[in-house]
Amino acid sequence: MKTPLVKIDKCSNVVWLVDLPFHHSTERDHEKNYWVPIIFYPNKVTAGYDESYGLKKTYFVDDGIAKVSDDGKVLFKKSVMQIFIENDLGHLIFPGEDFSFDPIHINDIQPVTVDGLYYKKGDVFLSLRSMSM
């Protein structure tokens, strides 16, 4: 489901609302920001695969990640396909197998809260359903 991100107080009053198509998980980082999967409309990356069948329209899905501050300001948003392409991993979007209108499909974003051997505090881990990554 694609819905706005809403923060409410303990009395159920709306504190802020970000009217973008968010979906799946909402995670907090060490700075109290929210990391949430987003879908870009219009697409940042498109394969030209949108299709119409009578009244039905199938759209190519451009999943991304968004960072929203505790006071409801969008601090960062980026298409995951753009990230792959910028890092010479575009071949993973269309691996030559069955075509998908949703080649990425983010299920979860996990902010990194400590430094490690291959990652640093402030990085994020992504769980991608369609790519089994």
Side-chain angles (χ1 to χ4, degrees):
M1 171 127 10
K2 294 138 199 97
T3 61
L5 187 63
V6 181
K7 182 175 184 177
I8 58 172
D9 65 18
K10 63 184 176 182
C11 296
S12 297
N13 297 308
V14 174
V15 176
W16 51 257
L17 179 139
V18 179
D19 193 12
L20 293 170
F22 295 102
H23 66 98
H24 284 302
S25 69
T26 303
E27 303 292 341
R28 301 282 306 258
D29 65 16
H30 64 284
E31 297 175 332
K32 305 285 190 228
N33 297 306
Y34 299 93
W35 284 93
V36 190
I38 187 171
I39 295 178
F40 285 98
Y41 298 112
N43 294 353
K44 297 290 182 184
V45 176
T46 181
Y49 291 120
D50 295 346
E51 292 183 351
S52 294
Y53 299 105
L55 297 176
K56 182 181 176 200
K57 181 117 177 149
T58 303
Y59 293 97
F60 186 76
V61 180
D62 187 5
D63 269 329
I65 58 175
K67 179 180 179 180
V68 179
S69 70
D70 194 44
D71 61 353
K73 294 193 179 20
V74 177
L75 302 174
F76 175 84
K77 59 183 178 175
K78 183 122 186 179
S79 161
V80 173
M81 285 191 275
Q82 280 183 314
I83 293 169
F84 273 57
I85 291 166
E86 290 169 3
N87 289 280
D88 296 321
L89 298 171
H91 62 281
L92 296 174
I93 299 168
F94 299 104
E97 298 170 3
D98 293 334
F99 174 77
S100 171
F101 283 98
D102 190 4
I104 302 291
H105 194 94
I106 298 175
N107 281 324
D108 189 28
I109 303 170
Q110 285 295 318
V112 176
T113 59
V114 295
D115 289 341
L117 187 59
Y118 300 104
Y119 49 85
K120 295 198 180 293
K121 184 176 180 178
D123 288 348
V124 292
F125 291 124
L126 305 179
S127 173
L128 310 177
R129 178 202 72 191
S130 297
M131 302 178 97
S132 190
M133 299 177 101

